[in-house]
Amino acid sequence: MLQKTDLAPLLLETSPTSFYSLLDSGNKLKLERCGNYKIIRPAGQAIWQPSLDRKAWQDIDAEFTGNTEEEGVGRWHFPKSALAPSFVLQRGSMKFLGRFTSFRHIGFFPEQEAHWCFIEKLLRVKPGAKTLNLFAYTGLASLIAANAGAQVTHVDSSKRAIAWAKENQAIAGLNHLPIRWITEDATKFAQREARRNNKYDLILLDPPAYGRGNKGEIWQLLEDLPALLSLCRELLDKNGLGVILTAYSIRASYLTLQRLMQEIFGQANVESGELILREENTKRALSTSLFSRFIINHEYKNH
């Protein structure tokens, strides 16, 4: 029997932007435009056939090949000529650095544009909101939040990622914005903040499926996420904005995150689903990750 349910997944879509476009996908690959470059990267869920012809897939500037799971094993191939390791991209008036890393990433996750727009809308409601960004990587969400008026605490266990984030702040011309840069294991930092009874209005989490801290700490998402979310509940100000969680490359469904978030933050005001990229030509959708968000007051979404 078919039943109506309020647990239907929400699809947050990112269409082509000035700095990124998904041109095509298929055969477990994706053809992308990043600024002025056309690149190919793995996309395990793209099990269909490409829509563009072979010529379109051959006219590229860079392709990542090799092991896509272990950092330092895969490599980039540049068919036309060697490219500089870093390149400048621009979102609106904000510049930032893309980079060809040994782990197939390029310094940002384009599907996060859906979250970035949502964060900007939330922060218009509460100027000066204290925002905690855990597993904050190269800092785009931190810079976007700070540029929207937030007081940001940026936490990542990788010194290299923190350095990259500071480079992004400089090239964006946003050194005047209030961002605290913390190189530490996310869970340890959250535990310390909870002991100090510090509170935040908005908490962002983008944890890996598996990770290792700068002091050898091991992070495994399905084992460690419940405890970290419980800490986030302690850190979240009751008059704040909410919590936004993204999860990549895990063997779970949106419903898993929905149930966990509801258990910790309450049944109301939790919504979950997938982040998707919309192809420029065919308008097909490529799923990239799961998300779940708890918004304290849903009126914020329509402000």
Side-chain angles (χ1 to χ4, degrees):
M1 181 190 305
L2 294 176
Q3 292 182 318
K4 186 177 180 180
T5 174
D6 60 355
L7 291 177
L10 180 64
L11 299 181
L12 297 185
E13 175 183 323
T14 295
S15 297
T17 66
S18 61
F19 62 91
Y20 176 86
S21 176
L22 177 63
L23 300 176
D24 195 14
S25 60
N27 293 333
K28 297 189 177 181
L29 298 170
K30 54 186 175 182
L31 176 64
E32 306 166 284
R33 174 184 55 78
C34 296
N36 296 323
Y37 296 141
K38 286 175 64 178
I39 69 174
I40 294 175
R41 291 190 292 166
Q45 294 195 65
I47 58 176
W48 45 82
Q49 291 298 307
S51 64
L52 298 180
D53 60 24
R54 183 178 298 180
K55 183 178 179 181
W57 282 79
Q58 290 175 337
D59 181 25
I60 59 170
D61 299 289
E63 180 178 7
F64 186 88
T65 60
N67 191 315
T68 63
E69 301 301 326
E70 186 176 348
E71 185 168 6
V73 174
R75 69 183 187 89
W76 287 92
H77 172 60
F78 305 104
K80 296 178 180 178
S81 61
L83 300 177
S86 297
F87 49 96
V88 178
L89 298 168
Q90 188 161 341
R91 178 187 185 266
S93 61
M94 192 185 84
K95 294 180 179 180
F96 61 97
L97 289 174
R99 192 163 285 158
F100 298 110
T101 75
S102 60
F103 196 37
R104 83 182 180 277
H105 301 313
I106 51 176
F108 71 102
F109 297 95
E111 62 275 7
Q112 289 285 332
E113 174 71 18
H115 280 334
W116 297 337
C117 292
F118 184 72
I119 289 166
E120 289 172 323
K121 184 164 62 173
L122 276 180
L123 291 172
R124 285 199 295 268
V125 178
K126 194 166 187 177
K130 290 183 64 179
T131 298
L132 175 61
N133 189 8
L134 299 173
F135 309 96
Y137 193 38
T138 60
L140 296 193
S142 296
L143 292 173
I144 288 165
N147 201 38
Q151 302 175 55
V152 177
T153 298
H154 172 113
V155 181
D156 199 286
S157 64
S158 167
K159 293 181 180 179
R160 183 166 52 181
I162 294 284
W164 191 342
K166 290 180 178 180
E167 285 184 80
N168 280 334
Q169 185 182 29
I171 198 170
L174 299 177
N175 282 334
H176 62 286
L177 295 179
I179 301 176
R180 273 202 308 161
W181 306 103
I182 308 293
T183 307
E184 189 171 355
D185 174 77
T187 299
K188 287 186 176 180
F189 178 81
Q191 289 170 338
R192 189 171 71 250
E193 291 291 89
R195 289 195 297 269
R196 294 174 175 174
N197 200 32
N198 285 335
K199 302 293 182 182
Y200 293 88
D201 298 298
L202 179 62
I203 302 176
L204 313 175
L205 302 95
D206 190 2
Y210 174 86
R212 186 181 296 273
N214 59 354
K215 295 184 179 179
E217 303 93 341
I218 300 297
W219 165 268
Q220 297 188 73
L221 190 138
L222 293 180
E223 286 76 15
D224 299 325
L225 182 60
L228 180 57
L229 284 177
S230 294
L231 285 168
C232 288
R233 186 172 118 179
E234 291 184 52
L235 297 177
L236 185 62
D237 191 289
K238 65 179 181 180
N239 297 314
L241 297 170
V243 175
I244 299 175
L245 164 70
T246 308
Y248 288 87
S249 302
I250 64 170
R251 294 183 176 92
S253 70
Y254 85 94
L255 192 57
T256 302
L257 297 187
Q258 174 85 3
R259 292 301 188 195
L260 177 60
M261 292 282 281
Q262 287 181 326
E263 178 181 295
I264 291 173
F265 295 103
Q267 292 289 316
N269 296 351
V270 173
E271 54 191 13
S272 306
E274 300 184 23
L275 295 181
I276 64 172
L277 292 170
R278 187 68 67 182
E279 284 185 2
E280 184 173 273
N281 297 293
T282 67
K283 307 305 179 186
R284 293 184 303 190
L286 175 65
S287 176
T288 65
S289 54
L290 305 177
F291 81 92
S292 187
R293 60 191 187 193
F294 165 66
I295 305 303
I296 290 177
N297 185 342
H298 266 213
E299 292 180 4
Y300 290 156
K301 296 196 301 180
N302 302 314
H303 181 81

